[in-house]
C-alpha cells in the first residue's frame, strides 16, 4: 500500500525518474580514491560488444556542486581505465557515470599504500522534481524541520556497529534535485538513543558518525532508521581505532 501511495504521489507531483548509475567517493589526506571503468560484461551481449565505448563521468561534491567532468573512451570490451577522482575539502560526494552501451558494474577504490578496499555502484535512478513540487517540499519540509521531523516519502533501515576499536559511519547520498531532509533515528538494546535531522543538498552527500547520536556508553550493534522526503541511498564507511584518519572500508548495502 505504501509503495502504491508513493507511486501515485510521484504522478501527482510530476516527478521524473532518470535511469542513472552512481557511486560514492571519499577523499582524505594520504588516501587515493579512484573509479575503475570497464565494460567486460558487454562481450556477452550481442550488439554491445564492439567498441569504442564513450563514457561520461560527473563528480559531485558534498554540497551538490560539480567538481569535475571526465570524458573516457574504452577501446573495446576488455579495456580498463583507472580514473583518479579529484579530492575536495568536503571529502565526499557522488559520482554519476553515463554510457549508452555501458553494461558492467563499476567500482570505486580507496587505497593508502598499505590497505585497499573497493565497492561497486548502483544502477538505479535520480529523481527530478518540477519547480512547484520543489517549492512545496521546501515549505512543508521547513515547517516539519522545526519539530525535528521530515516528509516521510522514503525510509531505510540499517544495522551499524560502533565502539572504540571499530565504528561505522554512514554516507548519505541525495539522489534528487530537491533538498532532502533525512531524519536519522538510532536504537540499541530496545530503546531509542537519539535522532538527528540532516539536510542534504540536491545531488549532495553527508558523512556522519552514527556513534555520535545518543552519546557514548552504548557500544555494539545499533539499528538506524532513516526517513527522507526524496529518494536517497547510503553506503557504510568502516573505520578502526584511528577513525576516519586511518584505513577505511567502503560497502554498499541493499
Amino acid at each position: 500500500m505504501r509503495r502504491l501511495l508513493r507511486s501515485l504521489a510521484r504522478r501527482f507531483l510530476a516527478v521524473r525518474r532518470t535511469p542513472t548509475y552512481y557511486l560514492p567517493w571519499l577523499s582524505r589526506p594520504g588516501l587515493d580514491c579512484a573509479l575503475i571503468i570497464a565494460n567486460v560484461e558487454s562481450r556477452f551481449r550481442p550488439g554491445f560488444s564492439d567498441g569504442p565505448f564513450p563514457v561520461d563521468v560527473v563528480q559531485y561534491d558534498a554540497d551538490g556542486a560539480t567538481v569535475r567532468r571526465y570524458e573516457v573512451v574504452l577501446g573495446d570490451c576488455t579495456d580498463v581505465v583507472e580514473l583518479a577522482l579529484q579530492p575536495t575539502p568536503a571529502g565526499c560526494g557522488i559520482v554519476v557515470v553515463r554510457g549508452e552501451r555501458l553494461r558492467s558494474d563499476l567500482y570505486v577504490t580507496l587505497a593508502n599504500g598499505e590497505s585497499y578496499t573497493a565497492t561497486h555502484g548502483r544502477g538505479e535512478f535520480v529523481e527530478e522534481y518540477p519547480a512547484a513540487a520543489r517549492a512545496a517540499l521546501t515549505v512543508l519540509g521547513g515547517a516539519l524541520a522545526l519539530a525535528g521531523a521530515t516528509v516521510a516519502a522514503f525510509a531505510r533501515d540499517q544495522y551499524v556497529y560502533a565502539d572504540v576499536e571499530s565504528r561505522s559511519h554512514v554516507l548519505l547520498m541525495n539522489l534528487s534535485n530537491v533538498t532532502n531532509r533525512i531524519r536519522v533515528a538510532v536504537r540499541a538494546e530496545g530503546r531509542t538513543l537519539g535522532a538527528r535531522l540532516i539536510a542534504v543538498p540536491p545531488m549532495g552527500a553527508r558523512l556522519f558518525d552514527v556513534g555520535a547520536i545518543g552519546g557514548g556508553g552504548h557500544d555494539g550493534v545499533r539499528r538506524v532508521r532513516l526517513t527522507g522526503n526524496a529518494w536517497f541511498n547510503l553506503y557504510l564507511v568502516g573505520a578502526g581505532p584511528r577513525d576516519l584518519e586511518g584505513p577505511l572500508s567502503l560497502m554498499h548495502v541493499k
Side-chain angles (χ1 to χ4, degrees):
M1 177 61 71
R2 182 174 296 180
R3 182 175 297 180
L4 176 61
L5 292 176
R6 284 201 299 260
S7 178
L8 293 174
R10 285 197 306 271
R11 292 184 182 183
F12 177 76
L13 295 173
V15 178
R16 183 174 63 181
R17 286 184 165 181
T18 303
T20 303
Y21 193 97
Y22 64 87
L23 307 95
W25 67 267
L26 289 172
S27 67
R28 289 291 183 275
L31 186 69
D32 296 322
C33 183
L35 172 64
I36 308 300
I37 304 174
N39 201 22
V40 66
E41 291 181 25
S42 66
R43 67 189 299 180
F44 306 110
R45 297 172 180 262
F48 288 90
S49 59
D50 296 331
F53 303 99
V55 180
D56 294 323
V57 179
V58 182
Q59 181 184 357
Y60 294 95
D61 207 356
D63 62 359
T66 299
V67 176
R68 186 173 175 182
R69 295 179 181 271
Y70 310 82
E71 293 183 358
V72 177
V73 177
L74 299 176
D76 54 44
C77 61
T78 63
D79 200 5
V80 179
V81 172
E82 181 175 347
L83 183 65
L85 298 175
Q86 182 174 321
T88 70
C92 66
I94 302 172
V95 177
V96 170
V97 182
R98 294 184 175 91
E100 185 177 348
R101 293 184 295 137
L102 200 61
R103 293 296 182 272
S104 294
D105 263 337
L106 310 180
Y107 293 83
V108 160
T109 65
L110 302 176
N112 63 1
E114 297 179 357
S115 61
Y116 170 92
T117 187
T119 190
H120 64 78
R122 304 296 298 270
E124 295 178 330
F125 54 85
V126 168
E127 286 191 334
E128 299 179 39
Y129 289 75
R134 293 199 303 271
L137 282 174
T138 298
V139 174
L140 181 57
L144 290 173
L146 297 176
T150 187
V151 178
F154 294 94
R156 296 287 304 268
D157 290 290
Q158 180 63 45
Y159 286 95
V160 302
Y161 192 84
D163 68 12
V164 176
E165 295 296 321
S166 177
R167 63 195 313 117
S168 298
H169 297 259
V170 174
L171 179 62
L172 289 176
M173 306 165 68
N174 180 10
L175 300 164
S176 76
N177 67 337
V178 65
T179 297
N180 204 342
R181 293 177 174 86
I182 302 173
R183 185 177 186 270
V184 182
V186 181
R187 293 177 58 86
E189 300 177 354
R191 65 189 185 91
T192 300
L193 300 182
R196 181 178 299 175
L197 191 64
I198 301 175
V200 187
M203 292 304 295
R206 289 291 183 268
L207 181 64
F208 72 94
D209 181 3
V210 175
I213 299 179
H218 299 281
D219 293 344
V221 177
R222 304 186 182 198
R223 180 179 178 180
V224 183
R225 175 75 169 177
L226 305 104
T227 309
N229 60 256
W231 175 240
F232 69 92
N233 212 332
L234 60 92
Y235 278 72
L236 293 183
V237 181
R242 293 172 56 194
D243 204 5
L244 294 177
E245 301 304 318
L248 303 177
S249 66
L250 185 60
M251 182 178 68
H252 95 287
V253 293
K254 293 189 179 293

